[in-house]
Amino acid sequence: MGFWGTYVVHRGEASLRDLLPDMPQLADDDAVDGERAAGGWQITRVRVPDLDLPGTLITDLRDATGAPVLVADILDSSTAYVHAVGVRTPFWDTWLNIDSAVGYTVLPQSPFDEGGNYLGDDWEDPEYPALAAATRQDMLARTLSGAAAAAAAMTWAQEAGLDSAPAPEVEATLAATEVFVEEQLYVLFQRLGLDTPPS
């Protein structure tokens, strides 16, 4: 089973727990671990799914640090919803490995008919491909992808004082697919100028 939880990137010496003391999800020592990155940045792994964290986490942390913040919600180490905000630059978001994200968003029907009879190992939900395609299209319409996502990420990095890689490298990283999405996420961190060892 992969990792379900959240990666949080912020700048400053204070820990995530110190900056957000009223967030009970951070109180458990087993739920939180982190590492330092060059330039005063921290990457904190929170073993709590995003749905169980306050929706204002990203802006609360931005306001507490006075600096840009990036958050990645990880689903079973298969896909990540990356979103970020700056002090001056606007909120942006994108998916890493969106095809896996679709699989967690909509599921095919179970292989049983209305009478409860098993339809066989080779049965496939005939409506699922169209449903999955529509869901993917909707997710793409609601977030950035391709060159637009890379440009937004680089603008965020620029405000953060980071030296990002050229746009084609950032875009290629966003479009890559890895067995463990955390590996792709750490490559993205490095492409955006966060100097930290690979996961």
Side-chain angles (χ1 to χ4, degrees):
M1 182 174 176
F3 175 71
W4 291 83
T6 308
Y7 280 76
V8 181
V9 178
H10 78 278
R11 188 170 64 195
E13 293 300 316
S15 70
L16 189 61
R17 181 177 290 149
D18 291 340
L19 290 165
L20 302 173
D22 297 329
M23 193 177 296
Q25 297 90 340
L26 305 178
D28 184 355
D29 287 339
D30 292 333
V32 179
D33 64 64
E35 62 183 286
R36 300 276 176 171
W41 289 88
Q42 296 186 51
I43 300 172
T44 305
R45 183 171 64 170
V46 184
R47 294 179 182 85
V48 176
D50 175 63
L51 290 176
D52 296 329
L53 294 173
T56 58
L57 181 149
I58 193 168
T59 50
D60 288 348
L61 189 56
R62 186 266 318 270
D63 295 344
T65 61
V69 174
L70 184 147
V71 176
D73 308 324
I74 309 295
L75 285 69
D76 200 22
S77 292
S78 297
T79 182
Y81 172 62
V82 178
H83 47 295
V85 68
V87 177
R88 297 180 303 278
T89 54
F91 174 91
W92 62 271
D93 57 355
T94 192
W95 284 95
L96 301 184
N97 203 353
I98 192 169
D99 289 331
S100 289
V102 171
Y104 288 98
T105 304
V106 291
L107 300 174
Q109 295 181 27
S110 62
F112 295 91
D113 64 18
E114 294 179 359
N117 301 305
Y118 182 56
L119 298 173
D121 293 340
D122 59 349
W123 183 85
E124 295 181 2
D125 178 0
E127 298 178 0
Y128 184 71
L131 177 60
T135 300
R136 185 181 192 278
Q137 194 62 36
D138 182 62
M139 292 169 70
L140 285 171
R142 293 172 181 270
T143 59
L144 297 177
S145 61
M154 293 174 68
T155 299
W156 177 90
Q158 182 178 23
E159 185 191 337
L162 301 171
D163 185 16
S164 64
E169 293 183 28
V170 176
E171 185 175 351
T173 301
L174 292 171
T177 55
E178 299 289 344
V179 174
F180 297 103
V181 77
E182 293 97 317
E183 295 177 4
Q184 183 180 353
L185 181 64
Y186 268 77
V187 174
L188 177 61
F189 289 161
Q190 293 179 331
R191 294 289 184 269
L192 293 181
L194 285 164
D195 186 11
T196 181
S199 174

